[in-house]
Amino acid sequence: MKNQKSKLKSQKCKSKLKSLLNTFNFLLVFLTFTFLLFTLTSHVNAQSAFSLTVSPARTEIEMRPGETKFLSIDFYNQGDAAIFGYIKKSSDNLPVSVKYSASLWTNILDEEVKLVPGEKTTIGLQINVPENARPGGKYVSVFFDPAEDKYQNNEKSSLLTIPRLVSLIYIKVGGKIVEKASVTRFTGPDLAESGPVKIEAAIFNQGDYHIRPKGVINLVDMFGKVVDQTVLEEKNIFPETNSQYTNYVGKGWLFGRYKASLAASYGEKGQVLTKTVYLWIIPWKIITIILIPLIIIAFLKI
Amino acid sequence: MNKLKLFIVVVFLLKIFLFDFIKETDTAALLLSSATLSNPRLSYRSTVQQSTPSGTSTIAVETTNNLFVNDSVCFVLAGESGCHAGQRYIVSSIIDQNHFKISPALPINLTAVHDFVVSIQSASMTIKFNTVGQVPVNGSIFVSIPGVKSDKANDGIPDTSSSIMRNGFDANNINITNIKIFNGNNADDSNWTKTFAIGTAGHDHQINFKRTGSALSGNAAISIVIDKTPGIVNPAPIQGSITGGKIDVYTINVKTRDTGDHLVDEVDIDIGPTKPVTVAATVKEMFTFIVAGVGTETTTCGGNPDETSTSTSVPFGLMNSPDSFKNLSQKLTIITNVANGYFVTIEENDQMGKEGNPCPGLLPATDEISFSNNKCIRDTACDNEQCSETVGKKWNNPKSHGLGYSLKNDRLNDAVFESQDGFYSRQLPDISAGKTKQTIIQKNGPTDGSSVFVCYRLSVPVNQPAGSYFNKVRYTASAAY
């Protein structure tokens, strides 16, 4: 009994400590941002600046079909004028088709926002996943949209400038999720005079959830030696979308036939994308300039 | 004649040398073929770098690359084949590239170079493919899984070597009962006689499924599963890997064979254990977006603005000098710790209409100020060459009328284009005319404060009717997707 009580006490202490630590971390980041704001905006026009911070900027959550979850997003007015607007949702600005939109699943609980300088508001969201929801990714963005009627156009000819600040929500609906991608393009020049050579790739996500391929492009010489390597840019590829990559590989003196090969992993099961293209790198202009006189001399001698 | 022959030979050689190159070779696995791991993490393995007495918690190793806090490690002593005494330790901290701490402390002495430390990542492996040709009775499916080319391919300890060709998965003492075969969703073990050969210095791990009962038809969806328990052990990164162990790609070979073990069909399937993604769970991602007005004392885009803007308005005011430019600017600032980076886009709801009237279409109808029945200030076409919402061109001639914008970095270099040698302008994307908003600022990583001036320029012709012209410009700031 005594042991149980002391265990419970210890757990409570640990939980309080963790909460304190999280608060400390948050305050540290918030104060850093505030400090940066003051130093960066100190020399701008005396007119008040629009300055809004959103946190978190991205949310990734896992849910089951039929489940409901509540999220919160904070907006801080760090400018010196009041901000008026509305919280709205949309998937239109995301690179996903309607099939992967979570807009209909998302309810915004607090739509109107009025923030005086220095004020923070917490916006509540309710995400309802239907019972028959398909496993995989669903996506929605929640954003602050200023109330345009509050920003009157009193000038003669003018542009009314409207800032919009977005927070992204990625939902993973549990179940049998298909992870599948393919390299739809991997090309380089057939013949290059020298490095670096431009290698273009495209990866298509055929699966149900966004992937973030991690990989490299190697340039391998005729003897199998890797002469250069470049890292593939890491970025999310949403379901049923294509992503383009442009890399430059090959340094120093290069001569002969080379193999450019892509190797990238994606998903949570160690799946791999590989593709190869062969190319020649020959300083043909220099060779031609040297060779032609030699050929002429050889002919004359013969 | 000799000269002619020599000439032909030389030309022929030049042709081969310069022009006969091999085009793209496709080595991708078949679409229906796949190999997956329930745990795709690379294992960890490193030699002990200095002799360490018992009672110590700090271990000196060749590298801590691919080792993380809370990983479970064990020590393999010289001459042994498994974890010493079956004892595991938890990594309590990574001190630097060559040192880490464990809990509990060492109960044994470690010898430099001869002893090594490992963190074992085991997994269930699933290999899937569709047959093409039939597999007859007494024919077979033959699977080769890369294993280290030594006698250590089955001791449950992660393997490493100098190259992918010489390394592979450790069999971890699995036996044939841990390997199952499915046809579609149905267990199919009863139709096969299975044998498993551990990899050696001469060959990879080999699983042979000999067909019994009836022949297996073509287009059968076959899955071969190695159970999670004990599971196959993932390799450690290749020694001296350029990628630092980010990804090592291994190739599994699957063959279908006839009764004489002759090849029917074959596929190579790549599988890639990787370094895990580490997530900073305690730091929230924040994004700050600032729009500020710019006064006439600030230099932007090669000159000073003619009027002062605010955070919500770019007030060109009274345009009483036709055929002359009026320039105003705003300053956008982004601060974010989002690891992926961010972007800011720009768009206009419509071109500048008199009293806010719509300006249907992309181009004026009859003259440069008429859009249908309404009078507008069009988006500029720039100087001699046509600019657009995606292509910027010089705009230095005030008789090329309209509205345009340019960019100039103020702090850091995140603007997607900049004005240099004069005003380099793009059109604002007109959403009502079907244009797409355009990215004006972006970065593939966090920023402690990127600032960009958005410089607007306006010029009107002498016959522009008097009145107020306005439209709305929207900036959308977001973390990178």
Side-chain angles (χ1 to χ4, degrees):
Chain A
M1 190 68 167
K2 264 192 184 172
N3 277 344
Q4 277 178 348
K5 275 190 182 169
S6 67
K7 256 190 193 171
L8 198 64
K9 211 174 178 180
S10 160
Q11 278 171 357
K12 278 186 181 169
C13 276
K14 278 184 185 170
S15 166
K16 272 188 189 166
L17 196 64
K18 197 175 177 183
S19 174
L20 270 168
L21 201 63
N22 280 342
T23 308
F24 173 75
N25 276 333
F26 166 76
L27 279 170
L28 191 64
V29 173
F30 180 71
L31 286 169
T32 307
F33 267 66
T34 310
F35 170 74
L36 283 168
L37 270 174
F38 277 115
T39 47
L40 289 168
T41 60
S42 56
H43 63 283
V44 301
N45 183 276
Q47 299 282 342
S48 54
F50 169 92
S51 176
L52 190 63
T53 297
V54 67
S55 178
R58 296 180 304 172
T59 305
E60 290 195 46
I61 52 171
E62 290 193 33
M63 296 181 71
R64 297 180 309 275
E67 190 182 0
T68 293
K69 260 191 186 173
F70 292 90
L71 302 178
S72 61
I73 298 175
D74 295 329
F75 286 92
Y76 314 83
N77 178 3
Q78 293 182 298
D80 43 18
I83 288 177
F84 305 92
Y86 303 94
I87 305 299
K88 296 179 182 174
K89 59 178 181 175
S90 175
S91 298
D92 293 346
N93 57 313
L94 296 173
V96 294
S97 66
V98 170
K99 188 174 155 190
Y100 298 99
S101 167
S103 196
L104 292 176
W105 297 358
T106 306
N107 291 329
I108 298 169
L109 303 178
D110 317 280
E111 287 187 346
E112 200 169 333
V113 169
K114 290 175 196 170
L115 293 171
V116 297
E119 189 181 357
K120 177 195 111 173
T121 185
T122 299
I123 302 298
L125 303 174
Q126 182 181 357
I127 313 278
N128 303 306
V129 179
E131 289 282 355
N132 61 348
R134 210 184 116 119
K138 293 284 189 187
Y139 309 90
V140 65
S141 66
V142 170
F143 56 90
F144 170 83
D145 210 20
E148 294 177 24
D149 57 333
K150 300 288 183 190
Y151 302 103
Q152 295 298 326
N153 237 337
N154 294 321
E155 303 295 339
K156 291 287 180 187
S157 291
S158 63
L159 312 177
L160 175 67
T161 56
I162 303 163
R164 177 182 276 182
L165 184 55
V166 175
S167 177
L168 305 172
I169 299 174
Y170 299 172
I171 302 165
K172 185 179 188 179
V173 180
K176 201 171 177 186
I177 296 176
V178 172
E179 281 182 355
K180 193 79 188 156
S182 58
V183 181
T184 51
R185 183 179 177 213
F186 191 64
T187 56
D190 294 322
L191 170 67
E193 225 186 312
S194 64
V197 290
K198 184 178 176 184
I199 304 291
E200 293 182 293
I203 296 175
F204 183 70
N205 181 1
Q206 300 158 268
D208 297 326
Y209 191 62
H210 65 275
I211 57 172
R212 192 174 176 81
K214 286 192 286 283
V216 294
I217 293 175
N218 287 328
L219 191 67
V220 182
D221 67 14
M222 292 179 285
F223 308 105
K225 185 186 166 196
V226 177
V227 298
D228 195 20
Q229 183 185 83
T230 180
V231 176
L232 202 68
E233 183 193 352
E234 281 192 40
K235 52 185 172 178
N236 288 330
I237 308 177
F238 288 84
E240 295 181 14
T241 57
N242 222 0
S243 190
Q244 313 287 335
Y245 299 84
T246 301
N247 286 79
Y248 292 87
V249 68
K251 289 191 278 275
W253 169 255
L254 299 170
F255 185 90
R257 185 163 165 266
Y258 291 84
K259 176 176 77 174
S261 64
L262 164 72
S265 74
Y266 68 93
E268 296 173 0
K269 295 175 186 170
Q271 293 195 83
V272 168
L273 295 162
T274 55
K275 201 81 169 177
T276 298
V277 65
Y278 289 87
L279 47 102
W280 286 85
I281 302 177
I282 295 172
W284 60 270
K285 282 182 188 165
I286 298 171
I287 289 172
T288 308
I289 290 167
I290 296 169
L291 215 55
I292 285 177
L294 288 174
I295 293 168
I296 292 169
I297 291 166
F299 268 126
L300 289 172
K301 282 196 172 166
I302 291 164
Chain B
M1 198 58 186
N2 282 339
K3 284 185 187 179
L4 182 61
K5 282 182 189 173
L6 181 61
F7 179 75
I8 291 167
V9 166
V10 167
V11 167
F12 182 67
L13 285 172
L14 271 174
K15 177 194 171 294
I16 293 171
F17 204 57
L18 290 178
F19 298 112
D20 285 344
F21 35 75
I22 296 172
K23 292 192 187 294
E24 185 178 300
T25 300
D26 187 347
T27 61
L30 292 176
L31 284 178
L32 295 176
S33 307
S34 68
T36 56
L37 296 165
S38 60
N39 170 20
R41 261 195 74 177
L42 285 161
S43 294
Y44 166 79
R45 175 175 171 145
S46 182
T47 49
V48 171
Q49 285 297 92
Q50 64 191 50
S51 296
T52 311
S54 69
T56 311
S57 297
T58 301
I59 313 297
V61 289
E62 186 184 2
T63 178
T64 55
N65 182 36
N66 208 44
L67 187 66
F68 298 90
V69 172
N70 292 324
D71 278 351
S72 166
V73 297
C74 73
F75 298 93
V76 183
L77 305 189
E80 291 185 344
S81 288
C83 292
H84 178 73
Q87 178 74 42
R88 305 290 175 109
Y89 306 82
I90 299 298
V91 175
S92 57
S93 67
I94 307 288
I95 300 169
D96 57 32
Q97 190 64 17
N98 301 105
H99 297 85
F100 68 94
K101 273 194 165 173
I102 56 168
S103 173
L106 273 178
I108 53 170
N109 297 328
L110 292 177
T111 309
V113 177
H114 300 293
D115 299 337
F116 55 94
V117 58
V118 299
S119 176
I120 301 169
Q121 298 296 327
S122 64
S124 162
M125 180 185 280
T126 303
I127 301 165
K128 290 186 177 181
F129 59 94
N130 275 26
T131 57
V132 179
Q134 196 185 66
V135 178
V137 175
N138 292 324
S140 61
I141 294 174
F142 187 78
V143 180
S144 297
I145 298 172
V148 71
K149 301 303 179 285
S150 74
D151 59 355
K152 298 287 186 185
N154 188 36
D155 58 1
I157 298 299
D159 300 306
T160 188
S161 186
S162 54
S163 71
I164 297 255
M165 298 291 293
R166 299 200 55 77
N167 199 35
F169 297 83
D170 191 277
N172 200 21
N173 297 302
I174 61 175
N175 59 55
I176 207 63
T177 59
N178 301 127
I179 303 172
K180 299 184 173 51
I181 185 166
F182 296 82
N183 185 350
N185 292 326
N186 304 315
D188 205 37
D189 295 89
S190 58
N191 288 318
W192 304 87
T193 303
K194 297 179 277 188
T195 54
F196 178 50
I198 305 294
T200 67
H203 63 78
D204 290 328
H205 304 300
Q206 294 168 344
I207 312 171
N208 194 49
F209 300 84
K210 191 166 183 179
R211 187 69 179 177
T212 60
S214 57
L216 177 71
S217 63
N219 206 33
I222 299 296
S223 303
I224 294 167
V225 180
I226 299 175
D227 288 341
K228 195 174 174 182
T229 306
I232 203 163
V233 170
N234 294 342
I238 294 300
Q239 291 158 357
S241 166
I242 298 175
T243 64
K246 280 198 182 95
I247 169 176
D248 286 333
V249 179
Y250 292 88
T251 304
I252 294 166
N253 178 263
V254 179
K255 292 180 172 63
T256 56
R257 305 189 296 193
D258 65 15
T259 54
D261 281 348
H262 300 114
L263 180 66
V264 175
D265 295 303
E266 183 179 18
V267 68
D268 284 332
I269 309 171
D270 290 325
I271 191 162
T274 55
K275 206 170 177 176
V277 173
T278 51
V279 178
T282 55
V283 178
K284 261 190 171 181
E285 286 181 332
M286 300 176 95
F287 191 112
T288 297
F289 183 46
I290 306 166
V291 181
V294 175
T296 55
E297 72 286 356
T298 306
T299 303
T300 67
C301 298
N304 287 31
D306 296 305
E307 304 280 354
T308 296
S309 65
T310 70
S311 59
T312 56
S313 177
V314 180
F316 289 100
L318 197 58
M319 298 294 292
N320 51 5
S321 298
D323 293 339
S324 67
F325 288 132
K326 208 164 201 183
N327 299 293
L328 278 88
S329 297
Q330 284 181 318
K331 181 168 148 179
L332 308 187
T333 303
I334 300 93
I335 307 168
T336 183
N337 60 352
V338 173
N340 281 8
Y342 74 94
F343 64 91
V344 178
T345 62
I346 195 169
E347 62 190 272
E348 64 178 2
N349 69 317
D350 199 353
Q351 298 182 53
M352 292 180 83
K354 187 169 179 289
E355 314 305 333
N357 282 334
C359 308
L362 192 59
L363 295 171
T366 50
D367 52 39
E368 63 176 333
I369 60 170
S370 300
F371 283 73
S372 188
N373 295 326
N374 296 333
K375 301 300 179 188
C376 299
I377 299 174
R378 59 163 294 167
D379 286 335
T380 183
C382 300
D383 286 344
N384 300 324
E385 296 166 89
Q386 182 79 36
C387 55
S388 67
E389 75 279 6
T390 56
V391 177
K393 296 289 180 189
K394 282 189 183 169
W395 185 23
N396 297 316
N397 179 5
K399 289 188 178 176
S400 290
H401 306 114
L403 172 71
Y405 81 98
S406 188
L407 303 172
K408 187 73 178 165
N409 284 310
D410 176 53
R411 185 174 184 272
L412 301 179
N413 295 301
D414 294 353
V416 299
F417 73 92
E418 271 196 298
S419 262
Q420 283 165 5
D421 298 330
F423 195 87
Y424 194 74
S425 177
R426 287 190 185 183
Q427 293 178 338
L428 286 161
D430 181 354
I431 299 301
S432 69
K435 294 294 180 179
T436 310
K437 60 188 172 188
Q438 294 296 310
T439 298
I440 54 171
I441 313 171
Q442 72 174 28
K443 187 178 178 183
N444 292 336
T447 177
D448 63 353
S450 301
S451 295
V452 174
F453 288 116
V454 183
C455 309
Y456 295 97
R457 173 169 279 191
L458 188 68
S459 169
V460 296
V462 65
N463 61 337
Q464 189 82 44
S468 297
Y469 292 76
F470 41 87
N471 67 352
K472 296 174 190 173
V473 172
R474 173 175 283 125
Y475 304 118
T476 302
S478 169
Y481 300 138

